[in-house]
């Protein structure tokens, strides 16, 4: 299960962390940030974070830039999107290597991530060209009514470490296309990828002040963004707790919150297991389970229980755990100790209450850091366990059993998160029953909850803690622009 390749010394191409404000790179004046590779344990980059005063200055700079950028013709903004995409493609290998080193995922996945980020910029430029308004019927023959979309202003972008290129790209590409300016705070675990992204904006010739990058903790740098009155909208991807904190303090800002998930994969009694098992396994172990739409739990009809368990155990044994730069690794370490400790906690609670581990079950020995986690299959999980009720964010396949479709729906919905779900069935009526009954923003049929295409509307089900609004292609642009109704007296 363990890759033989040892973690060789890995250096990132960027080692000095800096802020990017008003088109210029500068040092922060706040506490020092240090990036340690989860794959090797080595310090790969360091630099001072931003002070609240520096964040305020970045916001003011973005507000100043907005006055001119909002007026840049849309085809020119689309060209800028394409130019950023081209810059990302040019530096794909270098940025992917750095991303793998600081985040921990295998290099092949990091390369795909940078490519998808480039595609998002290309798509945003084209989506913007096709965004239409409306001409409404008028009750009064002398009045014409137009509905147009306008940029929203300064957008504060706050992003996590699990996809340090694609998640920011979702917001930044939409803002660049729509005529907004941005102040971006990436996760402190993955600022090197953020610097690559900012350098792509420079190479693309994006006007000064349109993108501003500030580094530092959520509790100081993020808080200034969330509360500053000049920031008119916030795009935040992170945990539900963070999203709720921000929502409480943000006041009347437009909020686009993409938060935690606890996606169930439901294997109905007529499921095709040749499809279900490999797709579920990918959903559990991709990115070491650190995806908001990971397959977090597997609900299996009792008649298929043994076959699904056997299939998942085999799939877990086939995962090659190794350092991000090891060519043969299919799964890397977890990104950070807090995440690993939560996985430990959820597993320990399940074991204490009678669940049994069939393969894996803890930190993998003989690796460069304690963040390598064994791909784990755990059976006998019950509704009340943390593994079922909360997001775990690790490489686990927790198995629960059900006897009827109604019971499966009750189990699936027995969580305060409602981001994604997947159901495997050959029966169209049953598929329809699940699609209508599951409280999730996305329901995939004969796919795992993890299956995703970037242009589809992605976000939490109303009433759950998975977030507000929808990311994805034109949907992000709709969230980060505003509607204006223009009424014109056309009487001669
Ligand atoms: P996190 O909430 O700890 O941090 C996310 C970002 O928010 C970081 O940049 C952090 O510094 C910042 N932050 C924290 N507290 C803040 C505050 N009070 N004010 C402003 N900013 C603050 O999340 P994480 O551990 O980096 O990421 C993992 C979480 O993100 C998981 O819950 C995962 O499900 C979720 N996620 C959701 C999606 C989605 O699209 N729904 C996608 C990826 C990740």
């Amino acid at each position: 299960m363990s890759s033989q390749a040892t973690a060789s010394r890995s250096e990132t191409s960027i080692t000095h962390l800096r802020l990017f404000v008003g088109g210029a790179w500068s040092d922060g004046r706040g506490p020092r940030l240090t990036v340690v590779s989860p794959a090797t344990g080595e310090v790969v980059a360091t630099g001072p974070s931003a002070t609240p005063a520096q964040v305020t200055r970045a916001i003011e700079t973005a507000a100043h830039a907005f006055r001119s950028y909002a007026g840049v013709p849309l085809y020119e903004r689309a060209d800028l999107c394409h130019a950023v995409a081209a810059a990302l493609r040019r530096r794909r290998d270098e940025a992917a290597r750095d991303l793998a080193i600081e985040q921990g995922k295998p290099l092949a996945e990091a390369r795909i991530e940078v490519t998808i980020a480039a595609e998002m910029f290309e798509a945003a430029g084209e989506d913007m060209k096709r965004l239409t308004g409306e001409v409404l019927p008028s009750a009064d023959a002398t009045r014409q009514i137009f509905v147009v979309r306008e940029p929203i202003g300064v957008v504060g972008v706050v992003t996590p470490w699990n996809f340090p290129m694609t998640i920011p790209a979702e917001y930044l590409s939409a803002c660049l296309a729509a005529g907004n300016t941005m102040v971006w705070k990436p996760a402190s675990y993955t600022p090197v990828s953020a610097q690559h992204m900012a350098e792509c904006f420079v190479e693309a010739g994006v006007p000064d002040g349109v993108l501003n990058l500030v580094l530092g903790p959520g509790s100081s740098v993020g808080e200034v963004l969330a509360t500053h009155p000049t920031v008119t909208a916030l795009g935040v991807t992170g945990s539900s707790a963070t999203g709720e904190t921000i929502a409480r303090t943000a006041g009347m800002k437009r909020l686009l919150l993409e938060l935690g998930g606890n996606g169930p994969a439901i294997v109905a009694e007529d499921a095709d297991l040749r499809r279900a098992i490999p797709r579920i396994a990918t959903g559990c172990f991709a990115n070491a389970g650190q995806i908001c739409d990971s397959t977090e739990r597997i609900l299996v009809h009792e008649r298929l229980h043994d076959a699904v368990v056997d299939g998942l155990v085999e799939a877990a044994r086939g995962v090659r755990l190794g350092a991000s730069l090891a060519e043969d690794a299919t799964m890397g370490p977890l990104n950070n100790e807090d995440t690993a400790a939560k996985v430990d906690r959820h597993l320990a609670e399940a074991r204490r209450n009678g669940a049994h581990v069939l393969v894996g079950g803890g930190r993998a020995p003989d690796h460069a850091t304690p963040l390598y986690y064994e791909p784990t299959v755990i059976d006998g999980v019950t509704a009340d366990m943390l593994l079922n009720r909360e997001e775990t964010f690790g490489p686990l396949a927790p198995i629960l059993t059900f006897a009827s479709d109604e019971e499966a729906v009750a189990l699936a919905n027995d969580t305060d998160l409602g981001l994604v779900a997947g159901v495997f069935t050959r029966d169209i009526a049953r598929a329809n029953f699940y699609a209508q009954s599951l409280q999730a923003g996305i329901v995939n049929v004969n796919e795992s909850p993890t299956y995703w295409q970037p242009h589809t509307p992605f976000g939490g089900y109303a009433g759950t803690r998975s977030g507000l609004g929808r990311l994805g292609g034109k949907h992000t642009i709709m969230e980060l622009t505003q509607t204006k109704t223009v009424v014109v007296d056309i009487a001669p």
Side-chain angles (χ1 to χ4, degrees), residues 158-162 167 185-187 217-219 222-223 237-239 242 245-246 258-261 292 391 393 419 458:
V158 176
T159 52
W161 46 262
N162 60 339
I167 290 174
K185 191 210 90 63
S219 55
E223 217 229 39
T237 296
S239 63
T242 295
T245 303
I246 289 174
E258 296 293 329
L259 309 177
C292 55
E391 179 181 59
F393 233 50
L419 191 60
F458 188 92

Side-chain angles (χ1 to χ4, degrees), residues 23-43:
W25 291 97
S26 62
D27 278 346
R29 290 192 293 275
R32 182 159 282 273
L33 294 176
T34 301
V35 181
V36 177
S37 169
T40 65
E42 292 163 330
V43 172

